[in-house]
């Protein structure tokens, strides 16, 4: 079964689906929705089969494929997946069908082409799969850039207020990051013996100065994509303007390309530079945790608030990566998955609230839980998962990040813990102001606020709730896949876990 070209088929299948959906007649929108949803389910089934076929104790990179593309440049269509890439591919395969269901009426309300909207979602799925599956640096760069195009049109054509401004800002920020990466990719090709193969590039020797400059080119691109402070300002605008489903993919998956890129490219290709830049990267991550959390507390726009919470969460992922311990690294990768589930759910639920009220402003709600109790309950659950309540999946990952970081840098771990306290403040404030308290007299007059979760919406939120609870109590199936890849990455950097202290050893006895 492992000889089957899983990764290339997973990448191409959504593109074929997008072509089919795009050419369906605009007069039959329901057909376009059903075809897009069915196609995304087929991708999910294939991804599940690939997960089952993956051998957690086997080779680091599996499902390897390589096809010649530009021989004169040494460029190939090379795909391979380790445990880190595999969990991100599963996250994409799970989220896209749910986003399609959640977005069932988005294009209808805007009176724009329904087939094009769902075709764009499938194109986005294909490019996201490609960027995580690529094992050739040039191929990764191509997917990294092409991925911007469908999201640009989803925001600019189907978004809400200030959608064009947000789309252009998103595109320009990402394009600038891509230019830094392009320069670094060319430099890497020159010093690496004119090859883009990831495996070959990890074996090359380069001078200290060259390594640091090349690391910086990749890191800036990934820091913008993640986004880390101070490259974060595009995300609140994009998250607020994008349709809720597209925003769930933007924050739940696309942003993970930044942290994934650091793990896959910055650390193994530039190990000495990674260690040299680690204190500065850690400082940026800490600033992001506190700064974004404080801004989230003061937001009156629900979608901007969720966007700022994501910036804070990415700070935790950054801390976990640059702590250079296997516990923190596993926590960071697990956080990438769990954040995608929890924030994806939160964005989708916020989108359901906004579509009913016709406004994203917190001040326009108040006591909505009396009218839509089930929706309010799901919002409360999503908020608790976002603040990493014990029993939910994000708690495990956040705990591992803090525990692994505390072993090497107690100060960083303590400062990062302040973000946990602030998370409780902005989540509980959001829930209290929107669904609790005195009923806003205007709400009963709004037709949408008299309609609780529909069957379709329950189908959207139920799998995410189930996964968040399951991974909150039993994360072993995922950590077994992640751990070998994280440990191999730490070996690439030349880092090992700190030896137990005398106190810890005695306590263990």
């Amino acid at each position: 079964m492992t000889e089957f070209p899983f990764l290339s088929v997973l990448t191409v299948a959504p593109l074929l689906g997008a072509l089919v959906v795009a050419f369906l007649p605009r007069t039959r929108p329901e057909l376009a929705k059903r075809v897009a949803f069915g196609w995304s389910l087929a991708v999910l089934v294939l991804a599940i089969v690939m997960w089952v076929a993956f051998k957690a104790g086997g080779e680091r990179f599996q499902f390897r494929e390589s096809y010649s593309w530009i021989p004169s440049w040494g460029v190939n269509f090379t795909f391979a997946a380790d445990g880190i890439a595999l969990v991100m591919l599963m996250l994409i395969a799970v989220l896209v069908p749910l986003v399609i269901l959640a977005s069932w009426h988005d294009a209808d309300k805007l009176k724009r082409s329904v087939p094009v909207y769902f075709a764009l979602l499938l194109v986005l799925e294909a490019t996201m799969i490609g960027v995580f599956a690529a094992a050739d640096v040039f191929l990764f760069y191509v997917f990294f850039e092409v991925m911007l195009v469908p999201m640009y049109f989803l925001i600019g054509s189907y978004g809400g207020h200030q959608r064009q401004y947000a789309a252009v800002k998103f595109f320009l920020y990402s394009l600038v990051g891509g230019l830094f990466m392009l320069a670094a990719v060319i430099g890497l090709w020159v010093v690496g013996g004119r090859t883009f193969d990831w495996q070959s590039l990890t074996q090359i020797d380069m001078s200290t100065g060259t390594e640091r400059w090349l690391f910086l080119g990749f890191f800036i691109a990934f820091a913008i994509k993640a986004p880390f402070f101070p490259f974060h300002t595009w995300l609140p605008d994009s998250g607020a303007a994008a349709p809720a489903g597209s925003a769930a993919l933007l924050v739940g998956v696309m942003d993970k390309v930044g942290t994934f890129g650091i793990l896959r490219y910055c650390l193994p290709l530039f190990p000495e530079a990674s260690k040299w830049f680690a204190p500065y990267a850690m400082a940026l991550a800490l600033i992001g945790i506190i700064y974004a959390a404080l801004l989230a507390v003061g937001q009156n726009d629900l979608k901007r608030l969720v966007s700022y919470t994501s910036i804070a969460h990415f700070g935790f992922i950054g801390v976990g990566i640059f702590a250079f311990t296997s516990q923190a690294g596993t926590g960071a990768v697990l956080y990438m998955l769990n954040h995608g589930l929890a924030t994806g759910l939160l964005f989708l639920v916020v989108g359901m609230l906004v579509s009913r009220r016709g406004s994203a402003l917190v001040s326009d709600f108040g006591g909505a839980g009396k009218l839509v109790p089930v929706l309010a309950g799901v919002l409360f659950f999503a908020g608790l998962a976002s603040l990493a309540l014990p029993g939910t999946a994000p708690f495990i990952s956040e705990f591992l990040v803090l525990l692994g970081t505390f072993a090497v840098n107690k100060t960083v771990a303590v400062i990062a813990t302040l973000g946990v306290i602030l998370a409780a403040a902005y989540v509980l404030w959001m829930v209290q102001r929107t669904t609790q308290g005195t009923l806003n007299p205007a709400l009963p007059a709004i037709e949408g606020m008299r309609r609780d979760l529909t069957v379709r919406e329950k189908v959207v939120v139920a799998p995410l709730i189930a996964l968040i609870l399951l991974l909150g109590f039993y994360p072993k199936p995922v950590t077994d896949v992640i751990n070998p890849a994280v440990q191999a990455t730490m070996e690439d950097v030349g880092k090992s876990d700190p030896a137990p202290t005398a106190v810890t050893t005695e306590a263990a006895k």
Side-chain angles (χ1 to χ4, degrees):
M1 180 62 77
T2 54
E3 298 301 319
F4 184 81
F6 282 106
L7 297 175
S8 58
V9 173
L10 274 174
T11 304
V12 173
L15 280 178
L16 295 177
L19 285 173
V20 173
V21 173
F23 285 103
L24 290 174
R26 294 185 60 173
T27 55
R28 302 190 63 186
E30 292 301 316
L31 177 61
K33 298 172 187 177
R34 293 192 183 99
V35 171
F37 179 63
W39 214 288
S40 65
L41 284 181
V43 173
L44 173 59
V45 171
L46 184 60
I48 293 172
V49 174
M50 183 176 67
W51 178 278
V52 174
F54 186 85
K55 295 179 176 60
E59 296 180 0
R60 177 180 181 181
F61 289 96
Q62 300 178 34
F63 314 120
R64 186 177 177 85
E65 309 168 45
S66 189
Y67 313 98
S68 180
W69 183 13
I70 312 175
S72 59
W73 292 1
V75 179
N76 298 296
F77 276 104
T78 303
F79 297 102
D82 62 355
I84 300 171
L86 185 66
V87 296
M88 297 312 302
L89 293 172
M90 280 302 304
L91 177 63
I92 296 167
V94 168
L95 279 182
V96 170
L98 300 179
V99 165
I100 289 175
L101 271 183
S103 308
W104 207 254
H105 299 300
D106 284 0
D108 297 336
K109 293 175 183 177
L110 294 170
K111 300 189 186 322
R112 293 186 176 90
S113 174
V114 172
V116 170
Y117 178 78
F118 288 97
L120 286 171
L121 287 176
L122 290 175
V123 172
L124 180 62
E125 180 179 27
T127 55
M128 291 190 300
I129 289 173
V131 81
F132 288 110
D136 180 278
V137 176
F138 187 81
L139 182 63
F140 172 84
Y141 171 76
V142 170
F143 279 117
F144 183 87
E145 292 290 76
V146 174
M147 185 174 56
L148 307 177
V149 178
M151 183 56 72
Y152 170 80
F153 285 109
L154 284 168
I155 297 173
S157 298
Y158 295 90
H161 183 59
Q162 290 191 325
R163 60 180 180 271
Q164 293 179 347
Y165 167 78
V168 171
K169 188 173 183 179
F170 159 76
F171 196 85
L172 288 178
Y173 265 73
S174 300
L175 190 62
V176 168
L179 291 175
F180 277 97
M181 186 192 293
L182 177 60
V185 165
I186 295 172
L188 190 60
W189 180 73
V190 171
V191 301
R194 299 176 181 271
T195 180
F196 289 109
D197 181 68
W198 183 91
Q199 200 75 45
S200 301
L201 290 171
T202 58
Q203 308 302 319
I204 65 173
D205 291 322
M206 61 184 82
S207 67
T208 300
T210 300
E211 183 176 341
R212 289 179 182 178
W213 279 112
L214 293 178
F215 171 92
L216 197 60
F218 277 92
F219 180 78
I220 291 175
F222 296 143
I224 291 173
K225 179 65 69 180
F228 289 147
F229 176 90
F231 310 105
H232 66 283
T233 59
W234 63 268
L235 181 58
D237 293 316
S238 300
S246 301
L249 292 177
L250 173 66
V251 177
V253 180
M254 281 188 68
D255 290 357
K256 307 303 188 305
V257 174
T259 49
F260 172 82
I262 293 172
L263 284 163
R264 171 63 66 82
Y265 294 95
C266 287
L267 269 57
L269 298 182
F270 317 110
E272 296 305 317
S274 298
K275 289 182 280 190
W276 191 83
F277 275 100
Y280 305 102
M282 197 87 79
L284 293 180
L286 283 177
I287 294 172
I289 291 172
I290 306 301
Y291 176 73
L294 290 172
L295 288 178
V297 172
Q299 292 302 310
N300 190 40
D301 185 294
L302 280 170
K303 295 171 77 175
R304 290 182 71 89
L305 189 154
V306 178
S307 298
Y308 276 114
T309 68
S310 295
I311 297 170
H313 294 150
F314 272 98
F316 280 101
I317 298 173
V319 167
I321 292 172
F322 286 99
F324 295 131
T325 66
S326 58
Q327 272 186 330
T330 297
V333 177
L334 194 60
Y335 213 142
M336 289 162 62
L337 171 65
N338 294 337
H339 175 266
L341 296 173
T343 304
L345 175 63
L346 188 56
F347 249 120
L348 293 176
V349 175
V350 164
M352 294 170 189
L353 270 175
V354 171
S355 67
R356 284 163 166 77
R357 176 63 180 86
S359 171
L361 297 180
V362 175
S363 55
D364 286 341
F365 288 87
K370 295 179 175 63
L371 300 176
V372 284
V374 179
L375 179 54
V378 176
L379 176 70
F380 184 52
F381 175 84
L384 293 179
S386 182
L387 65 82
L389 183 77
T392 62
F395 170 75
I396 303 294
S397 42
E398 198 166 278
F399 180 76
L400 285 173
V401 166
L402 293 174
L403 188 65
T405 304
F406 190 82
V408 294
N409 196 320
K410 295 178 177 59
T411 302
V412 170
V414 170
I415 295 174
T417 305
L418 295 176
V420 179
I421 301 170
L422 291 172
Y426 58 66
V427 167
L428 296 178
W429 175 84
M430 174 190 70
V431 172
Q432 193 276 330
R433 293 284 302 275
T434 53
T435 63
Q436 305 301 310
T438 305
L439 179 65
N440 185 336
L443 293 183
I446 298 170
E447 183 178 352
M449 292 306 300
R450 298 195 297 271
R451 177 171 48 88
D452 212 337
L453 283 183
T454 64
V455 174
R456 174 179 57 81
E457 290 170 333
K458 289 176 182 176
V459 172
V460 170
V461 302
L464 293 175
I465 292 173
L467 284 171
I468 290 169
L469 290 174
L470 175 63
L471 295 178
F473 285 95
Y474 189 63
K476 188 176 183 297
V478 177
T479 55
D480 284 349
V481 170
I482 291 172
N483 279 331
V486 170
Q487 290 169 1
T489 303
M490 293 301 106
E491 291 172 5
D492 290 336
V493 184
K495 285 285 189 176
S496 58
D497 290 338
T501 62
V503 174
T504 304
T505 305
E506 190 63 31
K509 293 179 181 179

